[in-house]
Amino acid sequence: LVNGWNMISANVEPENTSMSSVLNSLSGNLQQAKNAYGQIYAPPFTNTLTSWNKYHAYQIRMTTSAQFQLAGTPIVPEATPITLNQLGWYWLPYYRTSSMPTATALASISGKYLQIKSITGEVYQPPFATTLANLDPNKGYMIRLTATDGTLTYPANTVIKQSTSNAPILEPKVFVRENNVTGKTAFVALDLNANEGDEVGVFTRDGMLVGSSVWQNALRGVVVWGDDEFTSEKDGASEGEELIVKVWNSTNKNIGEVSQITLSDMTTNAKEYTLRYETDAVYFLKGNVEATSSTLTVTPQPATTEVMLNLGIASEGEVEVKLFNQAGQLMLTASESAMNGIIKLNTSDLPSGVYQAMINIDGDVQTARIVIVR
């Protein structure tokens, strides 16, 4: 188990199914264990999750990395069907002792689910995403069911462990987000006028990058991360927060904003008008990537302690920013790279007022008006 969020299941059934017994070895390192129904094991604060159920997967948040051992009777995959008679999300265990391609493992419920995803951001939802190529032992998964008559039966364990090869998934180099698993995600399937190698970034209105991907055969969409309530810093989108989709063109290096044509919730087929973050949402967005005549934007306006400068273009070199007050006095100088097209300025030491920003991007000087209010 890693420090932070994990999602687990087991291919054995413990002799003592009491959750306190199962998780006893993690005492001191365990912040919380929970199931899909909101039951939580987090002593001494709460213990509504009392028993381990072999038909469920669990999310566990750790304060440090640790080894977790679970002893019990081996589960025979082909003799342990899982009844999936509900619509919506189910937290799915994986019983096999070796990995298996996702579509093969779930063949018995083919056509009865929309998406399956991991807590670390891999998604299987053809034709938009196949980054979750395999299901792996000891892992748990979230599956969005679309039928009430599903029964999942995994294929039998093989004598020789199967080896599965994954095609490499290209990672963003411009829209780079810190690899931070927050325990909450949504997925936006996309139909865009983008090219192979372009990068897709999803931003909040205040400029935070909350999801990114490279446009490639295995991924025509983007995973959006929600905020983790266990961290003091905001590290994802808040529930209901408006989102903006941008695309970095790998040919001309410009960053364009996606103009929405249609937006729908793929779980209900309901039409949506504004893209907003909701945990476990699955959206379909069709749009055009458009470059604006004025690519430089400043958010928020007015600002207090922090200003985000969205340059509209990625810069490999250093970008120099100077802030002048209305008297022409230089009040702040900053120089940093803007690989994702965004520069963050700390304005906490500046007094309230109107400022003129001069931004030097590889010799091209742009100006912007910044208002700071305490």
PDB file of all heavy atoms in Angstrom, residues 303-340:
ATOM      1  N   ALA A 303      -7.595  40.127  -7.750  1.00  0.00           N
ATOM      2  CA  ALA A 303      -6.834  39.093  -7.058  1.00  0.00           C
ATOM      3  C   ALA A 303      -6.577  39.522  -5.616  1.00  0.00           C
ATOM      4  O   ALA A 303      -6.750  40.686  -5.257  1.00  0.00           O
ATOM      5  CB  ALA A 303      -5.513  38.852  -7.778  1.00  0.00           C
ATOM      6  N   THR A 304      -6.142  38.562  -4.810  1.00  0.00           N
ATOM      7  CA  THR A 304      -5.767  38.870  -3.427  1.00  0.00           C
ATOM      8  C   THR A 304      -4.311  38.494  -3.195  1.00  0.00           C
ATOM      9  O   THR A 304      -3.440  39.354  -3.161  1.00  0.00           O
ATOM     10  CB  THR A 304      -6.686  38.140  -2.436  1.00  0.00           C
ATOM     11  OG1 THR A 304      -6.702  36.748  -2.753  1.00  0.00           O
ATOM     12  CG2 THR A 304      -8.096  38.695  -2.484  1.00  0.00           C
ATOM     13  N   THR A 305      -4.050  37.199  -3.057  1.00  0.00           N
ATOM     14  CA  THR A 305      -2.685  36.762  -2.734  1.00  0.00           C
ATOM     15  C   THR A 305      -1.984  36.060  -3.895  1.00  0.00           C
ATOM     16  O   THR A 305      -0.800  35.792  -3.820  1.00  0.00           O
ATOM     17  CB  THR A 305      -2.704  35.790  -1.543  1.00  0.00           C
ATOM     18  OG1 THR A 305      -3.492  34.648  -1.869  1.00  0.00           O
ATOM     19  CG2 THR A 305      -3.284  36.475  -0.313  1.00  0.00           C
ATOM     20  N   GLU A 306      -2.729  35.769  -4.980  1.00  0.00           N
ATOM     21  CA  GLU A 306      -2.150  34.998  -6.067  1.00  0.00           C
ATOM     22  C   GLU A 306      -2.802  35.368  -7.391  1.00  0.00           C
ATOM     23  O   GLU A 306      -4.011  35.591  -7.461  1.00  0.00           O
ATOM     24  CB  GLU A 306      -2.325  33.505  -5.790  1.00  0.00           C
ATOM     25  CG  GLU A 306      -1.540  32.591  -6.682  1.00  0.00           C
ATOM     26  CD  GLU A 306      -1.681  31.145  -6.225  1.00  0.00           C
ATOM     27  OE1 GLU A 306      -2.730  30.537  -6.513  1.00  0.00           O
ATOM     28  OE2 GLU A 306      -0.738  30.625  -5.596  1.00  0.00           O
ATOM     29  N   VAL A 307      -1.978  35.448  -8.441  1.00  0.00           N
ATOM     30  CA  VAL A 307      -2.462  35.764  -9.784  1.00  0.00           C
ATOM     31  C   VAL A 307      -1.965  34.686 -10.745  1.00  0.00           C
ATOM     32  O   VAL A 307      -0.798  34.278 -10.684  1.00  0.00           O
ATOM     33  CB  VAL A 307      -1.962  37.146 -10.250  1.00  0.00           C
ATOM     34  CG1 VAL A 307      -2.248  37.344 -11.731  1.00  0.00           C
ATOM     35  CG2 VAL A 307      -2.630  38.254  -9.448  1.00  0.00           C
ATOM     36  N   MET A 308      -2.862  34.230 -11.631  1.00  0.00           N
ATOM     37  CA  MET A 308      -2.500  33.263 -12.662  1.00  0.00           C
ATOM     38  C   MET A 308      -2.475  33.981 -14.002  1.00  0.00           C
ATOM     39  O   MET A 308      -3.475  34.584 -14.415  1.00  0.00           O
ATOM     40  CB  MET A 308      -3.508  32.117 -12.703  1.00  0.00           C
ATOM     41  CG  MET A 308      -3.799  31.461 -11.372  1.00  0.00           C
ATOM     42  SD  MET A 308      -2.427  30.500 -10.729  1.00  0.00           S
ATOM     43  CE  MET A 308      -2.396  29.161 -11.891  1.00  0.00           C
ATOM     44  N   LEU A 309      -1.326  33.921 -14.690  1.00  0.00           N
ATOM     45  CA  LEU A 309      -1.189  34.477 -16.031  1.00  0.00           C
ATOM     46  C   LEU A 309      -1.228  33.324 -17.025  1.00  0.00           C
ATOM     47  O   LEU A 309      -0.313  32.499 -17.060  1.00  0.00           O
ATOM     48  CB  LEU A 309       0.125  35.245 -16.176  1.00  0.00           C
ATOM     49  CG  LEU A 309       0.346  36.434 -15.235  1.00  0.00           C
ATOM     50  CD1 LEU A 309       1.718  37.050 -15.477  1.00  0.00           C
ATOM     51  CD2 LEU A 309      -0.739  37.474 -15.406  1.00  0.00           C
ATOM     52  N   ASN A 310      -2.294  33.238 -17.812  1.00  0.00           N
ATOM     53  CA  ASN A 310      -2.418  32.223 -18.850  1.00  0.00           C
ATOM     54  C   ASN A 310      -1.911  32.836 -20.147  1.00  0.00           C
ATOM     55  O   ASN A 310      -2.556  33.708 -20.727  1.00  0.00           O
ATOM     56  CB  ASN A 310      -3.869  31.765 -18.990  1.00  0.00           C
ATOM     57  CG  ASN A 310      -3.999  30.546 -19.873  1.00  0.00           C
ATOM     58  OD1 ASN A 310      -3.274  30.386 -20.840  1.00  0.00           O
ATOM     59  ND2 ASN A 310      -4.944  29.681 -19.539  1.00  0.00           N
ATOM     60  N   LEU A 311      -0.746  32.383 -20.606  1.00  0.00           N
ATOM     61  CA  LEU A 311      -0.059  33.012 -21.729  1.00  0.00           C
ATOM     62  C   LEU A 311      -0.659  32.633 -23.083  1.00  0.00           C
ATOM     63  O   LEU A 311      -0.454  33.334 -24.067  1.00  0.00           O
ATOM     64  CB  LEU A 311       1.424  32.639 -21.709  1.00  0.00           C
ATOM     65  CG  LEU A 311       2.164  32.888 -20.388  1.00  0.00           C
ATOM     66  CD1 LEU A 311       3.614  32.452 -20.518  1.00  0.00           C
ATOM     67  CD2 LEU A 311       2.072  34.340 -19.964  1.00  0.00           C
ATOM     68  N   GLY A 312      -1.364  31.514 -23.145  1.00  0.00           N
ATOM     69  CA  GLY A 312      -1.912  31.071 -24.412  1.00  0.00           C
ATOM     70  C   GLY A 312      -0.905  30.370 -25.299  1.00  0.00           C
ATOM     71  O   GLY A 312      -1.219  29.966 -26.411  1.00  0.00           O
ATOM     72  N   ILE A 313       0.325  30.234 -24.811  1.00  0.00           N
ATOM     73  CA  ILE A 313       1.361  29.537 -25.565  1.00  0.00           C
ATOM     74  C   ILE A 313       2.360  28.960 -24.580  1.00  0.00           C
ATOM     75  O   ILE A 313       2.626  29.554 -23.531  1.00  0.00           O
ATOM     76  CB  ILE A 313       2.064  30.483 -26.562  1.00  0.00           C
ATOM     77  CG1 ILE A 313       3.000  29.689 -27.488  1.00  0.00           C
ATOM     78  CG2 ILE A 313       2.799  31.599 -25.853  1.00  0.00           C
ATOM     79  CD1 ILE A 313       3.550  30.504 -28.647  1.00  0.00           C
ATOM     80  N   ALA A 314       2.881  27.784 -24.893  1.00  0.00           N
ATOM     81  CA  ALA A 314       3.891  27.180 -24.027  1.00  0.00           C
ATOM     82  C   ALA A 314       5.251  27.815 -24.303  1.00  0.00           C
ATOM     83  O   ALA A 314       5.567  28.158 -25.434  1.00  0.00           O
ATOM     84  CB  ALA A 314       3.964  25.680 -24.269  1.00  0.00           C
ATOM     85  N   SER A 315       6.040  27.979 -23.262  1.00  0.00           N
ATOM     86  CA  SER A 315       7.364  28.585 -23.399  1.00  0.00           C
ATOM     87  C   SER A 315       8.401  27.688 -22.740  1.00  0.00           C
ATOM     88  O   SER A 315       8.312  27.401 -21.550  1.00  0.00           O
ATOM     89  CB  SER A 315       7.389  29.981 -22.766  1.00  0.00           C
ATOM     90  OG  SER A 315       8.690  30.525 -22.783  1.00  0.00           O
ATOM     91  N   GLU A 316       9.377  27.246 -23.524  1.00  0.00           N
ATOM     92  CA  GLU A 316      10.438  26.408 -22.973  1.00  0.00           C
ATOM     93  C   GLU A 316      11.460  27.237 -22.218  1.00  0.00           C
ATOM     94  O   GLU A 316      12.114  26.761 -21.299  1.00  0.00           O
ATOM     95  CB  GLU A 316      11.113  25.620 -24.101  1.00  0.00           C
ATOM     96  CG  GLU A 316      10.180  24.639 -24.786  1.00  0.00           C
ATOM     97  CD  GLU A 316      10.874  23.857 -25.878  1.00  0.00           C
ATOM     98  OE1 GLU A 316      12.083  24.105 -26.093  1.00  0.00           O
ATOM     99  OE2 GLU A 316      10.223  23.018 -26.515  1.00  0.00           O
ATOM    100  N   GLY A 317      11.634  28.499 -22.621  1.00  0.00           N
ATOM    101  CA  GLY A 317      12.586  29.370 -21.946  1.00  0.00           C
ATOM    102  C   GLY A 317      11.964  30.093 -20.772  1.00  0.00           C
ATOM    103  O   GLY A 317      10.790  29.906 -20.434  1.00  0.00           O
ATOM    104  N   GLU A 318      12.749  30.946 -20.125  1.00  0.00           N
ATOM    105  CA  GLU A 318      12.259  31.712 -18.983  1.00  0.00           C
ATOM    106  C   GLU A 318      11.361  32.861 -19.458  1.00  0.00           C
ATOM    107  O   GLU A 318      11.676  33.550 -20.436  1.00  0.00           O
ATOM    108  CB  GLU A 318      13.442  32.283 -18.193  1.00  0.00           C
ATOM    109  CG  GLU A 318      14.282  31.224 -17.500  1.00  0.00           C
ATOM    110  CD  GLU A 318      13.540  30.557 -16.362  1.00  0.00           C
ATOM    111  OE1 GLU A 318      13.075  31.284 -15.462  1.00  0.00           O
ATOM    112  OE2 GLU A 318      13.413  29.326 -16.374  1.00  0.00           O
ATOM    113  N   VAL A 319      10.257  33.033 -18.795  1.00  0.00           N
ATOM    114  CA  VAL A 319       9.351  34.155 -19.048  1.00  0.00           C
ATOM    115  C   VAL A 319       9.537  35.169 -17.929  1.00  0.00           C
ATOM    116  O   VAL A 319       9.447  34.823 -16.751  1.00  0.00           O
ATOM    117  CB  VAL A 319       7.889  33.682 -19.102  1.00  0.00           C
ATOM    118  CG1 VAL A 319       6.949  34.870 -19.245  1.00  0.00           C
ATOM    119  CG2 VAL A 319       7.694  32.701 -20.254  1.00  0.00           C
ATOM    120  N   GLU A 320       9.820  36.416 -18.305  1.00  0.00           N
ATOM    121  CA  GLU A 320      10.054  37.474 -17.307  1.00  0.00           C
ATOM    122  C   GLU A 320       8.790  38.308 -17.143  1.00  0.00           C
ATOM    123  O   GLU A 320       8.179  38.736 -18.129  1.00  0.00           O
ATOM    124  CB  GLU A 320      11.212  38.377 -17.736  1.00  0.00           C
ATOM    125  CG  GLU A 320      11.571  39.418 -16.687  1.00  0.00           C
ATOM    126  CD  GLU A 320      12.693  40.336 -17.133  1.00  0.00           C
ATOM    127  OE1 GLU A 320      12.519  41.017 -18.161  1.00  0.00           O
ATOM    128  OE2 GLU A 320      13.730  40.378 -16.444  1.00  0.00           O
ATOM    129  N   VAL A 321       8.393  38.509 -15.905  1.00  0.00           N
ATOM    130  CA  VAL A 321       7.204  39.296 -15.585  1.00  0.00           C
ATOM    131  C   VAL A 321       7.603  40.435 -14.659  1.00  0.00           C
ATOM    132  O   VAL A 321       8.295  40.221 -13.652  1.00  0.00           O
ATOM    133  CB  VAL A 321       6.114  38.440 -14.906  1.00  0.00           C
ATOM    134  CG1 VAL A 321       4.884  39.279 -14.619  1.00  0.00           C
ATOM    135  CG2 VAL A 321       5.759  37.243 -15.773  1.00  0.00           C
ATOM    136  N   LYS A 322       7.177  41.665 -15.020  1.00  0.00           N
ATOM    137  CA  LYS A 322       7.401  42.829 -14.163  1.00  0.00           C
ATOM    138  C   LYS A 322       6.067  43.503 -13.891  1.00  0.00           C
ATOM    139  O   LYS A 322       5.253  43.698 -14.806  1.00  0.00           O
ATOM    140  CB  LYS A 322       8.364  43.814 -14.834  1.00  0.00           C
ATOM    141  CG  LYS A 322       9.781  43.290 -15.002  1.00  0.00           C
ATOM    142  CD  LYS A 322      10.692  44.343 -15.616  1.00  0.00           C
ATOM    143  CE  LYS A 322      12.128  43.827 -15.726  1.00  0.00           C
ATOM    144  NZ  LYS A 322      13.032  44.834 -16.334  1.00  0.00           N
ATOM    145  N   LEU A 323       5.850  43.840 -12.621  1.00  0.00           N
ATOM    146  CA  LEU A 323       4.629  44.535 -12.205  1.00  0.00           C
ATOM    147  C   LEU A 323       4.968  45.944 -11.757  1.00  0.00           C
ATOM    148  O   LEU A 323       5.829  46.142 -10.890  1.00  0.00           O
ATOM    149  CB  LEU A 323       3.942  43.776 -11.064  1.00  0.00           C
ATOM    150  CG  LEU A 323       2.680  42.968 -11.420  1.00  0.00           C
ATOM    151  CD1 LEU A 323       3.015  41.905 -12.438  1.00  0.00           C
ATOM    152  CD2 LEU A 323       2.071  42.351 -10.175  1.00  0.00           C
ATOM    153  N   PHE A 324       4.269  46.931 -12.358  1.00  0.00           N
ATOM    154  CA  PHE A 324       4.463  48.336 -12.012  1.00  0.00           C
ATOM    155  C   PHE A 324       3.180  48.885 -11.405  1.00  0.00           C
ATOM    156  O   PHE A 324       2.079  48.550 -11.866  1.00  0.00           O
ATOM    157  CB  PHE A 324       4.820  49.161 -13.261  1.00  0.00           C
ATOM    158  CG  PHE A 324       6.102  48.731 -13.932  1.00  0.00           C
ATOM    159  CD1 PHE A 324       6.106  47.723 -14.890  1.00  0.00           C
ATOM    160  CD2 PHE A 324       7.302  49.356 -13.607  1.00  0.00           C
ATOM    161  CE1 PHE A 324       7.284  47.337 -15.513  1.00  0.00           C
ATOM    162  CE2 PHE A 324       8.484  48.973 -14.223  1.00  0.00           C
ATOM    163  CZ  PHE A 324       8.480  47.962 -15.178  1.00  0.00           C
ATOM    164  N   ASN A 325       3.325  49.738 -10.379  1.00  0.00           N
ATOM    165  CA  ASN A 325       2.135  50.397  -9.835  1.00  0.00           C
ATOM    166  C   ASN A 325       1.781  51.594 -10.699  1.00  0.00           C
ATOM    167  O   ASN A 325       2.462  51.887 -11.697  1.00  0.00           O
ATOM    168  CB  ASN A 325       2.331  50.767  -8.363  1.00  0.00           C
ATOM    169  CG  ASN A 325       3.458  51.769  -8.167  1.00  0.00           C
ATOM    170  OD1 ASN A 325       3.915  52.422  -9.110  1.00  0.00           O
ATOM    171  ND2 ASN A 325       3.919  51.906  -6.928  1.00  0.00           N
ATOM    172  N   GLN A 326       0.724  52.326 -10.327  1.00  0.00           N
ATOM    173  CA  GLN A 326       0.249  53.426 -11.159  1.00  0.00           C
ATOM    174  C   GLN A 326       1.227  54.594 -11.201  1.00  0.00           C
ATOM    175  O   GLN A 326       1.145  55.447 -12.099  1.00  0.00           O
ATOM    176  CB  GLN A 326      -1.125  53.890 -10.662  1.00  0.00           C
ATOM    177  CG  GLN A 326      -2.239  52.876 -10.972  1.00  0.00           C
ATOM    178  CD  GLN A 326      -3.595  53.367 -10.544  1.00  0.00           C
ATOM    179  OE1 GLN A 326      -3.836  53.601  -9.366  1.00  0.00           O
ATOM    180  NE2 GLN A 326      -4.495  53.538 -11.504  1.00  0.00           N
ATOM    181  N   ALA A 327       2.159  54.630 -10.252  1.00  0.00           N
ATOM    182  CA  ALA A 327       3.184  55.674 -10.254  1.00  0.00           C
ATOM    183  C   ALA A 327       4.391  55.280 -11.106  1.00  0.00           C
ATOM    184  O   ALA A 327       5.364  56.040 -11.202  1.00  0.00           O
ATOM    185  CB  ALA A 327       3.628  55.973  -8.823  1.00  0.00           C
ATOM    186  N   GLY A 328       4.321  54.098 -11.710  1.00  0.00           N
ATOM    187  CA  GLY A 328       5.424  53.638 -12.545  1.00  0.00           C
ATOM    188  C   GLY A 328       6.538  52.958 -11.784  1.00  0.00           C
ATOM    189  O   GLY A 328       7.595  52.646 -12.351  1.00  0.00           O
ATOM    190  N   GLN A 329       6.316  52.686 -10.512  1.00  0.00           N
ATOM    191  CA  GLN A 329       7.337  52.056  -9.676  1.00  0.00           C
ATOM    192  C   GLN A 329       7.308  50.536  -9.856  1.00  0.00           C
ATOM    193  O   GLN A 329       6.242  49.921  -9.820  1.00  0.00           O
ATOM    194  CB  GLN A 329       7.103  52.411  -8.205  1.00  0.00           C
ATOM    195  CG  GLN A 329       8.125  51.850  -7.240  1.00  0.00           C
ATOM    196  CD  GLN A 329       7.821  52.217  -5.807  1.00  0.00           C
ATOM    197  OE1 GLN A 329       6.809  52.863  -5.520  1.00  0.00           O
ATOM    198  NE2 GLN A 329       8.697  51.823  -4.894  1.00  0.00           N
ATOM    199  N   LEU A 330       8.485  49.933 -10.060  1.00  0.00           N
ATOM    200  CA  LEU A 330       8.569  48.480 -10.193  1.00  0.00           C
ATOM    201  C   LEU A 330       8.331  47.836  -8.837  1.00  0.00           C
ATOM    202  O   LEU A 330       9.068  48.065  -7.880  1.00  0.00           O
ATOM    203  CB  LEU A 330       9.951  48.086 -10.734  1.00  0.00           C
ATOM    204  CG  LEU A 330      10.207  46.580 -10.910  1.00  0.00           C
ATOM    205  CD1 LEU A 330       9.248  45.973 -11.912  1.00  0.00           C
ATOM    206  CD2 LEU A 330      11.659  46.330 -11.319  1.00  0.00           C
ATOM    207  N   MET A 331       7.292  46.990  -8.746  1.00  0.00           N
ATOM    208  CA  MET A 331       6.894  46.412  -7.472  1.00  0.00           C
ATOM    209  C   MET A 331       7.202  44.915  -7.371  1.00  0.00           C
ATOM    210  O   MET A 331       7.322  44.377  -6.281  1.00  0.00           O
ATOM    211  CB  MET A 331       5.391  46.623  -7.245  1.00  0.00           C
ATOM    212  CG  MET A 331       4.963  48.081  -7.246  1.00  0.00           C
ATOM    213  SD  MET A 331       5.693  49.012  -5.878  1.00  0.00           S
ATOM    214  CE  MET A 331       4.840  48.295  -4.480  1.00  0.00           C
ATOM    215  N   LEU A 332       7.331  44.243  -8.509  1.00  0.00           N
ATOM    216  CA  LEU A 332       7.576  42.799  -8.473  1.00  0.00           C
ATOM    217  C   LEU A 332       8.243  42.369  -9.763  1.00  0.00           C
ATOM    218  O   LEU A 332       7.878  42.826 -10.854  1.00  0.00           O
ATOM    219  CB  LEU A 332       6.255  42.042  -8.270  1.00  0.00           C
ATOM    220  CG  LEU A 332       6.293  40.511  -8.111  1.00  0.00           C
ATOM    221  CD1 LEU A 332       5.166  40.047  -7.205  1.00  0.00           C
ATOM    222  CD2 LEU A 332       6.179  39.808  -9.474  1.00  0.00           C
ATOM    223  N   THR A 333       9.227  41.487  -9.638  1.00  0.00           N
ATOM    224  CA  THR A 333       9.881  40.873 -10.795  1.00  0.00           C
ATOM    225  C   THR A 333       9.921  39.365 -10.586  1.00  0.00           C
ATOM    226  O   THR A 333      10.262  38.888  -9.508  1.00  0.00           O
ATOM    227  CB  THR A 333      11.317  41.395 -10.979  1.00  0.00           C
ATOM    228  OG1 THR A 333      11.272  42.813 -11.175  1.00  0.00           O
ATOM    229  CG2 THR A 333      11.970  40.753 -12.196  1.00  0.00           C
ATOM    230  N   ALA A 334       9.550  38.634 -11.611  1.00  0.00           N
ATOM    231  CA  ALA A 334       9.578  37.170 -11.540  1.00  0.00           C
ATOM    232  C   ALA A 334      10.069  36.625 -12.864  1.00  0.00           C
ATOM    233  O   ALA A 334       9.835  37.213 -13.922  1.00  0.00           O
ATOM    234  CB  ALA A 334       8.192  36.613 -11.211  1.00  0.00           C
ATOM    235  N   SER A 335      10.762  35.502 -12.807  1.00  0.00           N
ATOM    236  CA  SER A 335      11.265  34.853 -14.013  1.00  0.00           C
ATOM    237  C   SER A 335      11.154  33.345 -13.825  1.00  0.00           C
ATOM    238  O   SER A 335      11.728  32.798 -12.884  1.00  0.00           O
ATOM    239  CB  SER A 335      12.716  35.260 -14.282  1.00  0.00           C
ATOM    240  OG  SER A 335      13.187  34.657 -15.464  1.00  0.00           O
ATOM    241  N   GLU A 336      10.381  32.703 -14.683  1.00  0.00           N
ATOM    242  CA  GLU A 336      10.207  31.259 -14.572  1.00  0.00           C
ATOM    243  C   GLU A 336       9.752  30.679 -15.901  1.00  0.00           C
ATOM    244  O   GLU A 336       9.311  31.410 -16.795  1.00  0.00           O
ATOM    245  CB  GLU A 336       9.198  30.914 -13.471  1.00  0.00           C
ATOM    246  CG  GLU A 336       7.836  31.538 -13.661  1.00  0.00           C
ATOM    247  CD  GLU A 336       6.884  31.189 -12.526  1.00  0.00           C
ATOM    248  OE1 GLU A 336       6.381  30.049 -12.537  1.00  0.00           O
ATOM    249  OE2 GLU A 336       6.672  32.036 -11.654  1.00  0.00           O
ATOM    250  N   SER A 337       9.865  29.357 -16.028  1.00  0.00           N
ATOM    251  CA  SER A 337       9.420  28.696 -17.245  1.00  0.00           C
ATOM    252  C   SER A 337       7.905  28.538 -17.199  1.00  0.00           C
ATOM    253  O   SER A 337       7.290  28.558 -16.133  1.00  0.00           O
ATOM    254  CB  SER A 337      10.089  27.329 -17.392  1.00  0.00           C
ATOM    255  OG  SER A 337       9.731  26.492 -16.316  1.00  0.00           O
ATOM    256  N   ALA A 338       7.311  28.391 -18.377  1.00  0.00           N
ATOM    257  CA  ALA A 338       5.855  28.235 -18.481  1.00  0.00           C
ATOM    258  C   ALA A 338       5.556  27.120 -19.471  1.00  0.00           C
ATOM    259  O   ALA A 338       4.961  27.331 -20.526  1.00  0.00           O
ATOM    260  CB  ALA A 338       5.203  29.546 -18.901  1.00  0.00           C
ATOM    261  N   MET A 339       6.001  25.922 -19.116  1.00  0.00           N
ATOM    262  CA  MET A 339       5.839  24.785 -20.019  1.00  0.00           C
ATOM    263  C   MET A 339       4.370  24.469 -20.290  1.00  0.00           C
ATOM    264  O   MET A 339       4.025  23.959 -21.343  1.00  0.00           O
ATOM    265  CB  MET A 339       6.534  23.561 -19.436  1.00  0.00           C
ATOM    266  CG  MET A 339       8.049  23.586 -19.550  1.00  0.00           C
ATOM    267  SD  MET A 339       8.608  23.622 -21.266  1.00  0.00           S
ATOM    268  CE  MET A 339       8.064  22.017 -21.846  1.00  0.00           C
ATOM    269  N   ASN A 340       3.495  24.771 -19.330  1.00  0.00           N
ATOM    270  CA  ASN A 340       2.071  24.529 -19.564  1.00  0.00           C
ATOM    271  C   ASN A 340       1.313  25.814 -19.890  1.00  0.00           C
ATOM    272  O   ASN A 340       0.098  25.845 -19.880  1.00  0.00           O
ATOM    273  CB  ASN A 340       1.432  23.824 -18.368  1.00  0.00           C
ATOM    274  CG  ASN A 340       1.409  24.694 -17.122  1.00  0.00           C
ATOM    275  OD1 ASN A 340       1.963  25.798 -17.115  1.00  0.00           O
ATOM    276  ND2 ASN A 340       0.787  24.211 -16.076  1.00  0.00           N
TER     277      ASN A 340
END
